[in-house]
Amino acid sequence: MNLRYQKKTGLRTRGLFFITAAIVVLIVTGIYIKDQVLPSTKHVKPDFHGLAKPIFVGGELQEASAIGSKEGIKLPLSVVQKNIDSTIRYEKKSKTIIMATHDKLIHFKTDELTGRVNSKPFELFFTAEQVKGTLYLPIAPLEELYGLQVKEDPSTGTVTLFKSGDQVQMAKTIKLKKEDKTIPLREGPSIHKPIVYDVKQGESLRIWADLDGWYKVQLENGIVGFLQDSDVEMGEQLSIEQIPAANEKPNAKIEGPINLIWEAVYNKSPDVSQIGPLPGVNVVSPTWFSLLDGEGNVQSKADMGYVKWAHENNMQVWALFSNSFEPKLTTEALSTFDRRFQMIQQVMSYAQIYRLDGINIDFENIYTKDKENFTQFVRELTPMLRAQGLIVSVDVTPKSNSEMWSAFLDRQSLGELVDYMMVMSYDEHWASSPRAGSVSSLPWAENAMRKIIEEDQVPADKLLLGIPLYTRIWTEKPVDGKTKVSSKTAGMKAIQELIEKKQLKPQLDEATGQNYVEYEEDGAKRRIWIEDQTSLQARVKLAQELGLAGTASWTRSFALPEAWDVLAR
């Protein structure tokens, strides 16, 4: 009897096991079908990451919230910098916001309703303000400067930004079957993702991405989600209107290659009656303006007679503005917007008074810590000068590890800002160099230009090849068993006279591409890498081969008359 009972119990147990297993299989199968086969019917609220007034750009949710409503909407500076212009700057010390584009400069202070556009007053109806450490910008100046368009939906609280020049693909949902009331807008590109919104037929959409059978779309109420492409009917592509350029004066373009010469002015401008003809030269750049103090005041040596002479001889005048090569003054003058703007206003005034055609910026001997401030200064200066129809150029040295003479230059950013960039491709061996050598050997000059074109991506047709119209007479003299090296600078005429006086016979130095002489004098060896027609021809050829905008030569007073004929070619 016990045996028969045990058999019956075993049969019941196995039966229960199979029944349980079958139920489990059915449950699992049901779950699988529900989750993996049937579309999800679960509804969830759009995830705005807890933001009260979420911002969308190109269908992407931004990390910070807007504040305000309607015309009073304000946007976080971080969102504007990320999506509109990364160069927008806020200076905490002066509470100044600065925005600059190709042709406009806007600046205003927090908690103030008056700003300036290219020095003209600009009224704000809403101020910029700090809220819990976040700076919020009113939309009015962003609309003025960047053509920003803002769409707010009161029902969802979303704010959608459109930038000038954006292309937006519009669409609408297809006509539904009678049994369908809405189309599910899903959280992700899958029918198994939850539904964030039920879309009606014919509802307007913006298409932000095509994801293999799905579209990432945004509804007019700002909610973003995914629709199957079969549920979408494409419409027209809208172009967000480009912001019109400011009414800047057209500058006088140079036809053909630029042949610029610098005019070194120390105490007063030269007597133009003594200069003589300069065939081929179409731009002169006198060194007239310099930084006077840390407050941003500018000293002028400008001469209207020189401008008149240049214009009468069909030459433009791009006056040079330097920082006096004083690093401490430069740090102070660049440190705040008010000081930078002081420089800008004075340079602009001088440009108007003397009827200049352009400004050439020559800031050298600057601390690397001032790199960003120098670039910002050029960013602020450029639109102001362009509004006057002036050509803007900047001088840069070849790339090197020198902190004060090279590392402070952001050549790529500067190249994007200015009309022309002069590369001072000389002083390969400088006045106090421990080793004698060429001021600018041809391979070295070519390498300097190629680096800026290739590494800094400055367009070749914005670059001018710097040409030295001088050389150095090097002296190598034995002192206490070592060779002491010294040099003195000499122009082309002085070198020619020296060669004739000493009856020297220059020989071509293949390594430098220049003629070279050496001789003994007073127990020392004199060495000269000569700047003459041979080297000038090679430099002009290099500028042509690289497709440069032209050449810039330092300085007029060093040149022989035949130099102009070579440069003119």
Side-chain angles (χ1 to χ4, degrees):
M1 184 166 180
N2 289 338
L3 182 61
R4 290 169 66 187
Y5 176 77
Q6 288 175 354
K7 285 181 179 181
K8 287 181 180 180
T9 302
L11 288 171
R12 287 196 199 98
T13 302
R14 284 194 294 273
L16 287 172
F17 171 79
F18 286 121
I19 292 170
T20 304
I23 292 171
V24 170
V25 169
L26 288 172
I27 292 172
V28 171
T29 302
I31 293 172
Y32 175 82
I33 292 172
K34 181 178 179 295
D35 291 345
Q36 303 298 324
V37 179
L38 297 176
S40 173
T41 57
K42 180 182 179 182
H43 283 68
V44 295
K45 289 183 178 180
D47 185 7
F48 294 148
H49 295 181
L51 300 174
K53 208 170 191 65
I55 304 170
F56 284 92
V57 181
E60 296 295 327
L61 177 65
Q62 303 302 300
E63 295 180 354
S65 176
I67 60 174
S69 62
K70 298 182 180 180
E71 294 85 359
I73 290 174
K74 299 178 185 180
L75 303 174
L77 175 61
S78 60
V79 171
V80 177
Q81 288 174 325
K82 177 183 176 182
N83 296 283
I84 310 300
D85 185 353
S86 62
T87 68
I88 293 175
R89 182 164 171 145
Y90 174 60
E91 293 189 349
K92 291 182 180 179
K93 189 174 182 179
S94 62
K95 296 184 178 180
T96 304
I97 298 107
I98 307 128
M99 307 174 185
T101 62
H102 174 84
D103 50 23
K104 290 180 183 176
L105 173 67
I106 287 182
H107 60 96
F108 54 96
K109 296 180 183 293
T110 57
D111 303 326
E112 290 187 8
L113 289 173
T114 302
R116 286 188 169 272
V117 181
N118 288 2
S119 291
K120 296 179 180 179
F122 176 70
E123 295 300 321
L124 296 168
F125 295 101
F126 301 93
T127 64
E129 62 177 305
Q130 288 268 7
V131 179
K132 296 181 179 179
T134 298
L135 178 66
Y136 290 89
L137 306 181
I139 60 174
L142 300 172
E143 292 169 335
E144 165 77 18
L145 198 59
Y146 303 101
L148 182 70
Q149 293 187 19
V150 179
K151 181 176 175 59
E152 178 192 18
D153 187 88
S155 65
T156 60
T158 58
V159 173
T160 304
L161 307 183
F162 301 95
K163 298 175 288 182
S164 173
D166 276 353
Q167 300 292 316
V168 182
Q169 178 63 56
M170 300 302 293
K172 64 180 180 179
T173 50
I174 62 171
K175 187 175 181 180
L176 296 174
K177 298 176 183 178
K178 288 184 178 180
E179 61 270 22
D180 295 326
K181 294 182 180 180
T182 58
I183 299 172
L185 180 72
R186 298 192 178 274
E187 199 173 49
S190 168
I191 61 173
H192 308 299
K193 293 292 184 178
I195 300 168
V196 294
Y197 196 80
D198 291 313
V199 187
K200 298 176 182 178
Q201 74 172 22
E203 196 157 338
S204 181
L205 313 167
R206 304 182 196 102
I207 305 292
W208 293 119
D210 186 344
L211 301 168
D212 190 23
W214 291 80
Y215 288 124
K216 183 178 183 180
V217 306
Q218 185 176 31
L219 306 180
E220 287 296 324
N221 62 13
I223 294 175
V224 173
F226 296 83
L227 290 175
Q228 288 181 291
D229 54 10
S230 58
D231 292 327
V232 175
E233 180 181 323
M234 285 295 179
E236 62 179 335
Q237 189 174 63
L238 296 182
S239 297
I240 304 303
E241 185 179 0
Q242 289 274 12
I243 185 73
N247 294 321
E248 60 183 80
K249 298 177 183 178
N251 59 35
K253 293 292 184 183
I254 300 291
E255 296 296 332
I258 295 171
N259 184 359
L260 175 146
I261 60 166
W262 280 293
E263 181 80 66
V265 180
Y266 298 104
N267 296 314
K268 61 179 182 178
S269 289
D271 182 352
V272 294
S273 66
Q274 302 299 313
I275 291 179
L278 300 173
V281 174
N282 50 19
V283 182
V284 287
S285 181
T287 59
W288 277 343
F289 307 132
S290 57
L291 182 62
L292 184 62
D293 57 36
E295 297 300 315
N297 290 305
V298 178
Q299 183 179 32
S300 171
K301 299 174 187 173
D303 176 9
M304 185 61 83
Y306 187 95
V307 176
K308 183 180 178 182
W309 162 81
H311 286 167
E312 288 175 349
N313 286 276
N314 299 314
M315 294 182 290
Q316 292 191 13
V317 182
W318 299 359
L320 183 145
F321 171 40
S322 83
N323 62 328
S324 301
F325 305 161
E326 292 286 348
K328 290 184 178 179
L329 287 185
T330 305
T331 294
E332 294 171 6
L334 294 176
S335 63
T336 69
F337 174 78
D338 292 337
R339 292 178 178 183
R340 295 193 300 272
F341 199 62
Q342 173 78 351
M343 286 189 280
I344 291 169
Q345 288 181 306
Q346 290 186 50
V347 170
M348 285 176 58
S349 295
Y350 288 136
Q352 287 179 326
I353 292 169
Y354 293 99
R355 301 177 186 175
L356 303 178
D357 305 288
I359 294 293
N360 176 226
I361 306 161
D362 184 26
F363 276 39
E364 303 179 46
N365 198 28
I366 296 179
Y367 297 119
T368 305
K369 67 180 181 179
D370 294 319
K371 181 175 186 172
E372 186 177 335
N373 282 345
F374 174 60
T375 302
Q376 181 66 20
F377 168 64
V378 177
R379 180 175 290 115
E380 294 163 358
L381 172 68
T382 300
M384 301 287 282
L385 295 180
R386 283 205 180 101
Q388 290 187 200
L390 296 170
I391 293 172
V392 188
S393 62
V394 65
D395 303 336
V396 303
T397 56
K399 298 180 74 171
S400 75
N401 295 324
S402 171
E403 177 193 2
M404 307 296 287
W405 301 99
S406 180
F408 75 91
L409 289 163
D410 183 349
R411 295 167 181 81
Q412 183 170 354
S413 294
L414 292 171
E416 294 170 355
L417 295 170
V418 299
D419 298 305
Y420 296 105
M421 178 180 288
M422 290 70 162
V423 183
M424 298 180 288
S425 46
Y426 36 79
D427 282 349
E428 175 185 2
H429 294 85
W430 57 101
S432 58
S433 173
R435 185 165 60 91
S438 170
V439 167
S440 176
S441 66
L442 267 296
W444 180 84
E446 178 177 357
N447 183 58
M449 301 306 299
R450 289 191 182 278
K451 275 189 172 183
I452 292 176
I453 293 170
E454 295 166 7
E455 296 178 9
D456 297 305
Q457 301 177 336
V458 180
D461 59 6
K462 273 193 173 187
L463 295 174
L464 276 70
L465 174 68
I467 294 179
L469 300 179
Y470 67 95
T471 187
R472 291 195 168 91
I473 302 172
W474 294 92
T475 299
E476 295 179 342
K477 191 170 185 177
V479 177
D480 298 329
K482 297 181 180 180
T483 300
K484 182 180 178 181
V485 178
S486 60
S487 74
K488 66 176 182 178
T489 301
M492 296 178 72
K493 183 178 180 180
I495 295 299
Q496 184 185 60
E497 291 173 349
L498 177 65
I499 289 172
E500 292 173 354
K501 179 181 178 181
K502 294 189 175 293
Q503 299 182 342
L504 302 173
K505 295 183 178 180
Q507 299 291 322
L508 181 64
D509 177 17
E510 297 286 351
T512 62
Q514 296 171 280
N515 286 318
Y516 168 81
V517 294
E518 63 177 56
Y519 60 96
E520 298 290 333
E521 184 179 67
D522 299 331
K525 179 187 284 188
R526 314 285 190 194
R527 307 178 71 188
I528 308 172
W529 284 264
I530 305 167
E531 203 65 45
D532 57 13
Q533 292 188 53
T534 298
S535 61
L536 290 181
Q537 286 173 352
R539 297 186 195 284
V540 170
K541 183 180 178 182
L542 173 61
Q544 293 170 339
E545 290 175 347
L546 293 176
L548 305 183
T551 60
S553 304
W554 179 268
T555 167
R556 179 198 62 78
S557 61
F558 283 148
L560 284 169
E562 51 263 37
W564 310 124
D565 295 323
V566 177
L567 292 173
R569 295 196 291 271

